[in-house]
Amino acid sequence: MELSRPSRLGRRAFSALAGTTVLGLALGGSTALPASGAPGPAPTGPPPGPPGADGARHRVALDRHSLLVDGRRLALWSGELHPFRLPSPSLWRDVLQKMRAYGHNAVGVRLAWNQHSPAPGAYDFTGVRDLGLFLRTAAECGLYVVLHPGPYIGADVDAGGLPGWLTTVGGRAGSTDPVYRRHADEWLGRVNAVAARHLFTRGTGTVLLYRADYTGRADLDRLRTRMRADGIDVPLLHGDTPLAREEPGPVRDAAEARRVHFDRLARGNTLDDVRMAFGGTSWGWLPAPSAPSPTYDPAAPIDEARRPTDKLAPLHQLGHLLRHVPDFTGMTEAAAVRATDARVRVRHLANPDTGAHAYVLRNDSAADVTSTLPMGGTDVEVTVPARDAKLFATGLRLGSGRKLAYATVQPMLAMSVGKLDIAAFVGRAGETAHLVLDCPDEPWPTRLDEEAAWVFDRGQLHVTVPLQEDRLTRVRVRSGDTDRTLLLIVADDAASLRLWPYETPSGRVLVRGPELLREAALDGATIRLTGDTVAERELEVWAPPGITDITWNGEAVRSGLGRALSLMAVWPLPGVPDLVLPALDGWRRRTENFESRPDYGDEGWTVADRRTTHSTTPVPDGRPVLFADDYGFHYGDVWYRARLTGATGPERVSLAYSTGAHGLLMAWLDGVPLGSHQPGGAGDGKGTWTGTAEFGLPDDLRTGALLSVLVRRTQHGQDAYRTARGLTSAAFEGASPGVRWRIMGAAAPDPVRGPLNNGGLYGERHGWHLPGYDDGRWEPVSPAALPGGDPRQGVTWYRTTFRLDVPPDIDASVGLRLDGPPDRGTGAHRVQVFLNGWNLGAYVGDRTGAPHTFVLPNGILRTRAAANTLALAVLSGGGAPSGPGSVRLELLGGAAGGVPVKPVPSPGRRDG
């Protein structure tokens, strides 16, 4: 059942749908809504509980306000995580738990077809490609799944996720061509076979929504029919639906995150998405030319090293607001409200069910603006920082008999724990929060922290709190009309990131203090908490009645009852101890380029003599096809060898070639370097760079000479998968010798690491990058010799091993820092990084010369008293040094806690 796209998601949003029909989940399960403008059949109320594989059937529908899950409104707050960018299945759980803790209730999952399919008809869903394992883990973490198998996914991956072999089978991707459609259907069928076992509708998983690309309405209908035949009965999101069409791009900072997502909320969007909640690594030959480095989306709120960034606070706050303040799932556009200063734009929303109002204020000017805004019948002075946004609310219920009249800070959550009502508000450090509560009877406030002040006047309680950096202020409010106590919590951004609501089957809990709460479970009189700490932290827990004891990561915590009606730990939770990483020494070095030697045997190489191609790149008249893809070499470097026969005396050779970003060509004649070349300019705008390398030939060139060419072909553009890679033509001046070309690239795909791991370098084809390879006869090299290395054209390999011994209760994130050679600007310089045989990407040192830190994912990286093999393949040309530059391990972060990490299989080589 597809969700048709409205132009906007407010009161007017779904008038474009068929009347006011609810889009039911089950086949034929639609339900009619009342006339447009009337309240929907599902009033505002508590959202559905956290999802899981509970074995029960579920219904999903959609009206003009939100998703409806089993009749309850759900504001979907999704964040994208690409499993293929984190090749360590144990760490999927780590990031998914962090996403849930930071407020997300759904994860968006794109699947790269090229990672799963090395050849037509061959598919692999094992190891780091285990889709079923990922979906089970998401369900265990309490997250819905929005599944996007493509076939085309974009995502800055090679060919937009299309497999390399698709370049050679004919048919145009993204069209109704029967050849393409047959392969795409086969791919979707393999995905659907897995997804059908994890559907939320059947209670066997949490796959809630499904996305796919399509061509035209007829193709969409065909896709829907195919889904149903494969057992996929969840709603279909397509290119015209809000979640698919309005995905925001990366944001620079917290202020821009607020502007972007508050604006979407102001337009009534309750199907929101954070484009990348976790960016990860574009490892191996995965990245498209549009991905500038192995680090994917450095602006993601959870960074490549799995650490929170400064962009996370507003997303954390908004996610928990949508989860714990249900008024926002039924908001519609209300009467216009204006601030006295026109530089502040205001969007006014209201919930007709509850009477709550929301005001989204946006300041796009370069100066902070203080203005007056009418809220809750009162003119309120508010300040919106430059290029920032704020969200205010009025009329929210904060517990029995109490409502929020207005506040100059943003609500984050409202929840009940036993007989305690808790409301949390957040703002920026340095501001003064002003909260006004309507109270039918005079309250009895108690200031629990020194910063708070209060006054009661004409039925309203006024509370003011100066917000301080990483400080939280609490005020307890009682009154004679109810036995329920209201606890007001006011925090700045930093303190809000240590405030963790959690829903258990026995009731809600709220935890304050640690850097992360992963799970909470009620066990008799004990609440069992798991999570992470970085520094020593207080621990405060609000739990249902009867809970008297706390454990933290399995250890009992001594605690007592606090003034805020919470359990308070007597002693702080411990932080992470200092960690010391080893220096990298014991290096060994070996050069290669055997393919350039005249006596090298190339009998097993493929003869490049084709005359036709499916590529969009034209073949020069009368010359053979030299494109690497046409001969089955889709990833990594590729070698060419040509014997020159017949005519003598050619003076020059021109080698035309086509690559992605950071392409490179090197040529030899009879083993003697002719030179290197890099394509220049900005490319064609679709991810392709072309160049022509011209080399002079010796005067005494004789027949039978050997021309050898190495091309770093790199990846296809997202939208130009059939553009040639590698050599495109060769021409001679002065004479035209006979030429018979042979080509060699990557060997058979690594059965564990996948088809995007290996390229065509000699060392890769012979296992020099693998653990267990015998490098005992290689030349020893001191660390001091690494930064330079003798300038030479070709490939030089460096290997070493190192051992880490991180305590088992510590999650350490480790990186490999490459600073590049000191004279990095002298010519072509590339360093391919392999850890335990896994290709983590390339350092490109000749263009910007900027250092780069490669994140070494735990699981691939052995951190528990085990050896690691590090191999570096350095491509150097044009006078560039043959050394990798300065290389060292770098501690990126550590936490006491984490998740159990299972080593990722990293098979090695035992022979030389």
Side-chain angles (χ1 to χ4, degrees):
M1 184 71 65
E2 82 276 9
L3 307 180
S4 299
R5 176 191 177 269
S7 59
R8 52 193 299 179
L9 285 176
R11 177 179 293 273
R12 304 169 187 170
F14 289 91
S15 61
L17 296 176
T20 51
T21 301
V22 171
L23 298 179
L25 164 65
L27 296 178
S30 298
T31 305
L33 284 175
S36 179
T44 300
D54 57 8
R57 288 275 180 172
H58 297 280
R59 293 187 66 252
V60 179
L62 175 73
D63 68 7
R64 66 180 184 272
H65 298 298
S66 69
L67 280 167
L68 297 167
V69 174
D70 297 328
R72 293 187 178 187
R73 294 204 176 280
L74 174 69
L76 197 73
W77 181 236
S78 174
E80 279 204 32
L81 162 63
H82 300 160
F84 54 81
R85 283 198 163 100
L86 185 56
S88 176
S90 299
L91 297 185
W92 297 343
R93 183 178 300 275
D94 174 70
V95 177
L96 290 169
Q97 287 183 344
K98 288 174 178 172
M99 289 176 61
R100 189 218 61 80
Y102 291 127
H104 288 290
N105 58 11
V107 56
V109 181
R110 300 189 193 214
L111 303 179
W113 184 2
N114 56 13
Q115 192 199 23
H116 294 269
S117 182
Y123 295 92
D124 185 353
F125 289 90
T126 64
V128 298
R129 297 164 293 279
D130 192 338
L131 174 60
L133 174 60
F134 183 89
L135 297 179
R136 289 195 300 274
T137 306
E140 291 165 2
C141 293
L143 291 171
Y144 295 106
V145 174
V146 181
L147 187 64
H148 182 13
Y152 173 87
I153 61 169
D156 297 299
V157 299
D158 179 67
L162 303 176
W165 55 260
L166 199 64
T167 62
T168 66
V169 298
R172 183 170 61 85
S175 72
T176 58
D177 183 281
V179 174
Y180 167 72
R181 179 177 283 178
R182 173 166 50 84
H183 291 294
D185 281 353
E186 184 177 60
W187 159 244
L188 292 178
R190 297 299 184 99
V191 173
N192 292 347
V194 179
R197 300 194 293 269
H198 299 274
L199 298 177
F200 178 67
T201 52
R202 299 181 181 181
T204 55
T206 56
V207 176
L208 180 74
L209 299 171
Y210 186 100
R211 295 179 54 192
D213 61 338
Y214 69 99
T215 303
R217 186 71 194 188
D219 197 36
L220 179 62
D221 293 340
R222 179 179 168 277
L223 173 62
R224 185 173 56 248
T225 301
R226 172 62 191 266
M227 285 174 54
R228 298 300 178 244
D230 288 343
I232 306 297
D233 60 358
V234 298
L236 169 64
L237 295 172
H238 53 76
D240 289 333
T241 53
L243 183 60
R245 180 177 179 129
E246 298 186 17
E247 289 175 343
V251 296
R252 293 185 296 272
D253 51 31
E256 187 175 10
R258 279 187 286 267
R259 291 204 311 274
V260 168
H261 291 285
F262 286 178
D263 184 63
R264 290 168 64 81
L265 181 67
R267 289 182 282 118
N269 194 346
T270 58
L271 290 175
D272 207 350
D273 181 65
V274 176
R275 173 64 176 80
M276 291 308 304
F278 169 79
T281 303
S282 296
W283 57 275
W285 300 108
L286 177 70
S290 52
S293 79
T295 298
Y296 186 65
D297 194 357
I302 302 174
D303 72 10
E304 187 183 11
R306 300 175 288 114
R307 303 169 299 183
T309 70
D310 60 358
K311 293 170 281 296
L312 192 55
L315 306 178
H316 174 70
Q317 297 159 7
L318 183 55
H320 286 298
L321 173 71
L322 295 174
R323 175 68 192 173
H324 297 286
V325 184
D327 303 73
F328 284 87
T329 59
M331 291 285 185
T332 61
E333 189 173 352
V337 172
R338 290 181 174 82
T340 55
D341 193 314
R343 289 175 295 176
V344 175
R345 293 185 294 158
V346 183
R347 297 290 296 270
H348 179 204
L349 305 173
N351 186 316
D353 290 339
T354 66
H357 292 253
Y359 305 84
V360 175
L361 282 63
R362 177 166 174 158
N363 173 18
D364 291 330
S365 75
D368 296 354
V369 176
T370 299
S371 183
T372 300
L373 179 73
M375 287 194 299
T378 303
D379 288 338
V380 182
E381 185 178 273
V382 297
T383 299
V384 185
R387 298 187 178 91
D388 208 333
K390 285 193 172 183
L391 170 64
F392 301 130
T394 65
L396 298 180
R397 284 198 61 197
L398 301 183
S400 178
R402 304 178 184 101
K403 270 193 173 183
L404 177 69
Y406 64 87
T408 62
V409 282
Q410 173 190 327
M412 176 176 166
L413 61 86
M415 59 190 297
S416 295
V417 180
K419 291 188 176 182
L420 184 66
D421 297 321
I422 303 175
F425 293 83
V426 291
R428 281 20 134 236
E431 299 178 338
T432 296
H434 185 195
L435 289 79
V436 180
L437 278 61
D438 289 325
C439 299
D441 294 306
E442 184 170 356
W444 310 325
T446 302
R447 182 176 61 187
L448 304 180
D449 299 286
E450 293 182 358
E451 294 83 2
W454 61 270
V455 64
F456 182 71
D457 181 35
R458 289 178 289 185
Q460 290 186 324
L461 176 65
H462 295 252
V463 178
T464 57
V465 177
L467 295 175
Q468 299 184 28
E469 183 69 32
D470 202 12
R471 290 292 298 274
L472 177 145
T473 301
R474 299 158 300 169
V475 176
R476 192 178 65 203
V477 181
R478 294 174 175 171
S479 59
D481 63 324
T482 177
D483 62 350
R484 298 190 65 80
T485 297
L486 172 65
L487 180 67
L488 294 175
I489 298 175
V490 184
D492 78 317
D493 285 347
S496 77
L497 281 171
R498 293 187 290 105
L499 198 58
W500 309 106
Y502 197 94
E503 296 166 77
T504 76
S506 301
R508 296 185 178 189
V509 300
L510 181 64
V511 176
R512 178 185 71 85
E515 274 79 9
L516 180 68
L517 176 71
R518 294 183 181 274
E519 293 180 325
L522 305 183
D523 181 9
T526 301
I527 182 168
R528 303 190 183 280
L529 306 175
T530 59
D532 297 0
T533 55
V534 176
E536 286 190 350
R537 291 298 186 186
E538 292 181 326
L539 177 64
E540 185 172 18
V541 180
W542 290 272
I547 299 298
T548 58
D549 300 300
I550 305 172
T551 67
W552 176 257
N553 290 341
E555 299 292 330
V557 175
R558 186 179 176 187
S559 62
L561 186 63
R563 297 176 65 205
L565 305 182
S566 59
L567 290 174
M568 288 284 298
V570 173
W571 306 108
L573 299 176
V576 64
D578 291 336
L579 300 174
V580 178
L581 300 179
L584 295 177
D585 53 18
W587 289 95
R588 291 183 175 274
R589 174 174 61 192
R590 187 179 183 186
T591 60
E592 51 155 276
N593 317 325
F594 307 112
E595 298 92 339
S596 68
R597 299 176 182 175
D599 58 350
Y600 178 83
D602 59 13
E603 296 79 7
W605 288 32
T606 302
V607 176
D609 59 357
R610 297 189 177 188
R611 296 291 169 173
T612 60
T613 178
H614 292 294
S615 173
T616 55
T617 301
V619 180
D621 290 343
R623 298 178 186 170
V625 175
L626 298 177
F627 312 155
D629 286 301
D630 284 69
Y631 298 97
F633 304 121
H634 308 299
Y635 308 109
D637 302 289
V638 62
W639 274 96
Y640 296 85
R641 282 167 57 95
R643 290 285 180 183
L644 310 184
T645 58
T648 59
E651 300 172 355
R652 299 184 63 82
V653 60
S654 296
L655 300 172
Y657 64 107
S658 174
T659 75
H662 311 311
L664 175 66
L665 178 145
M666 293 187 279
W668 293 259
L669 185 70
D670 286 336
V672 177
L674 292 176
S676 62
H677 192 271
Q678 303 172 81
D684 65 353
K686 294 185 177 181
T688 295
W689 282 255
T690 59
T692 300
E694 297 188 356
F695 302 113
L697 300 177
D699 294 337
D700 59 350
L701 181 66
R702 55 184 175 76
T703 186
L706 174 71
L707 176 65
S708 302
V709 181
L710 173 63
V711 180
R712 170 143 289 196
R713 40 152 296 156
T714 65
Q715 302 87 331
H716 289 103
Q718 293 186 95
D719 301 309
Y721 77 103
R722 291 196 296 173
T723 304
R725 289 294 183 265
L727 284 181
T728 54
S729 70
F732 294 87
E733 298 179 18
S736 298
V739 181
R740 180 176 174 83
W741 289 98
R742 290 180 180 268
I743 184 172
M744 173 58 75
D750 189 307
V752 173
R753 300 173 181 93
L756 281 76
N757 195 75
N758 298 351
L761 298 179
Y762 181 93
E764 290 176 288
R765 303 198 311 268
H766 291 80
W768 292 10
H769 61 301
L770 297 176
Y773 180 83
D774 183 6
D775 57 16
R777 289 176 291 178
W778 288 23
E779 175 191 4
V781 180
S782 71
L786 295 183
D790 296 333
R792 67 179 295 271
Q793 176 177 301
V795 184
T796 307
W797 283 80
Y798 296 80
R799 283 174 55 96
T800 189
T801 60
F802 63 92
R803 183 180 295 269
L804 300 179
D805 192 8
V806 178
D809 57 345
I810 301 299
D811 177 13
S813 184
V814 178
L816 182 74
R817 171 86 171 193
L818 269 67
D819 290 334
D823 49 353
R824 59 178 69 95
T826 58
H829 187 263
R830 310 282 188 270
V831 183
Q832 205 71 30
V833 178
F834 296 89
L835 176 67
N836 294 327
W838 289 84
N839 183 344
L840 298 184
Y843 172 79
V844 181
D846 60 293
R847 297 282 173 92
T848 65
H852 183 78
T853 298
F854 292 80
V855 174
L856 309 179
N858 295 347
I860 289 178
L861 176 69
R862 310 308 201 228
T863 62
R864 315 295 191 205
N868 295 276
T869 298
L870 178 63
L872 307 176
V874 180
L875 279 69
S876 58
S882 60
S886 176
V887 183
R888 67 183 186 275
L889 296 176
E890 183 177 347
L891 183 64
L892 304 178
V899 298
V901 176
K902 182 179 180 181
V904 178
S906 301
R909 181 183 178 96
R910 297 190 179 279
D911 56 49

